[in-house]
Amino acid sequence: MPRVRRSGPGARDARVARDRPARDARRRPGPTRLREPGPIAAHVAAVVVGPGLCDERGSTAFVRRLLRLFRERTVVLDSIAMSVAAMQAFDQPVLLTPHAGEMAHLCGLPKEVVTQEALHVACEAAIRWNACVVLKGASTVIATPQGRAWRFDGGSIGLATSGSGDVLAGLMGGFAARGLPPEQAAAWAVVVHAMAGRKLGRRVGPLGYLARELAGEVPAVVRQIGRCAAPPLQKFTTPDVDRMRSASTSL
């Protein structure tokens, strides 16, 4: 059982189930059958599911089984793992991380509507799915099932690089594993992700850096934020959600 260290604002161990060496999996690409993760469920504080999954139908059954195993843990769903949201509302702590295209697919809306009404769409989805929704974009919206929402406008164009969303999902899982509630874990992750992008942008240019390079910036960024008096959510604006709802067409 391999261990991955340094996830979130400090050293943490993340256990990953496997049944063959990683070097072997790289040499022979294709689906890998994982051992049943049930025995480790009591030893983890958060789970990230989605990066690397490619079969929506098979992944949905897999994710539903994982959700049952980790009912008392925060589960971050990314990519096609979010497809389970279309089936029923969640009854456990869940973070969803769609970009506009994924949200359009999940809600059955045109992508243009999601982009133009991001706050309204995110808030309605969070309530409908009983989950914390992080709708990613040029402006990122964090919405909770309780009807609260925050918007962050500090992203940069370089963060659209392939794999960047996987890094963001991993950050959310890392901060959730530190004991933060979903919306705080999301806020820390969004701010750290954006600051890492800005640091890379200053060093290598606004475009062209890789997702794995973002991860390398995380420890220094977390230390920098830790020295500030203001918590991450104070870096967000708090829109008038009720006014936006009354001004928007109901989904």
Side-chain angles (χ1 to χ4, degrees):
M1 187 76 68
R3 294 189 176 189
V4 181
R5 291 189 62 81
R6 210 168 61 184
S7 176
R12 278 295 180 272
D13 288 346
R15 294 174 180 265
V16 183
R18 72 178 185 187
D19 69 336
R20 71 187 190 200
R23 62 179 181 275
D24 190 30
R26 287 196 298 269
R27 188 166 57 247
R28 293 185 293 170
T32 301
R33 296 185 63 85
L34 299 180
R35 294 187 187 127
E36 180 61 51
I40 69 171
H43 304 287
V44 300
V47 182
V48 179
V49 190
L53 297 181
C54 56
D55 172 24
E56 185 170 13
R57 180 178 298 179
S59 296
T60 297
F62 172 68
V63 173
R64 292 180 70 181
R65 188 166 71 252
L66 279 182
L67 287 169
R68 290 193 296 269
L69 287 171
F70 296 99
R71 291 186 57 82
E72 305 302 321
R73 315 299 183 214
T74 296
V75 179
V76 181
L77 299 181
D78 185 49
S79 186
I80 62 174
M82 294 184 290
S83 298
V84 296
M87 299 179 177
Q88 62 185 43
F90 298 102
D91 58 358
Q92 62 192 94
V94 170
L95 259 165
L96 298 170
T97 64
H99 55 59
E102 290 167 332
M103 182 65 94
H105 173 69
L106 291 170
C107 294
L109 294 170
K111 182 178 177 180
E112 295 74 16
V113 172
V114 174
T115 302
Q116 294 167 7
E117 301 287 346
L119 175 64
H120 175 69
V121 171
C123 288
E124 292 291 338
I127 293 170
R128 184 189 317 125
W129 297 330
N130 192 37
C132 182
V133 172
V134 183
L135 180 51
K136 302 176 293 190
S139 292
T140 293
V141 175
I142 298 175
T144 73
Q146 294 76 34
R148 303 183 68 194
W150 299 267
R151 185 178 64 236
F152 181 73
D153 299 317
S156 58
I157 190 170
L159 293 175
T161 188
S162 177
S164 175
D166 297 349
V167 175
L168 180 60
L171 286 170
M172 292 181 194
F175 288 118
R178 297 284 294 184
L180 294 179
E183 68 275 12
Q184 286 281 354
W188 269 92
V190 168
V191 171
V192 168
H193 188 247
M195 291 180 66
R198 286 201 295 271
K199 285 172 69 71
L200 277 173
R202 287 193 295 268
R203 191 166 70 248
V204 304
L207 293 172
Y209 54 78
L210 304 176
R212 65 172 177 265
E213 295 174 303
L214 286 168
E217 300 291 336
V218 167
V221 170
V222 170
R223 285 196 301 273
Q224 179 181 344
I225 295 177
R227 291 194 295 266
C228 299
L233 277 177
Q234 291 190 14
K235 297 179 180 292
F236 290 66
T237 58
T238 306
D240 187 339
V241 176
D242 292 332
R243 181 174 59 80
M244 289 294 293
R245 281 182 182 158
S246 63
S248 301
T249 302
S250 178
L251 296 180

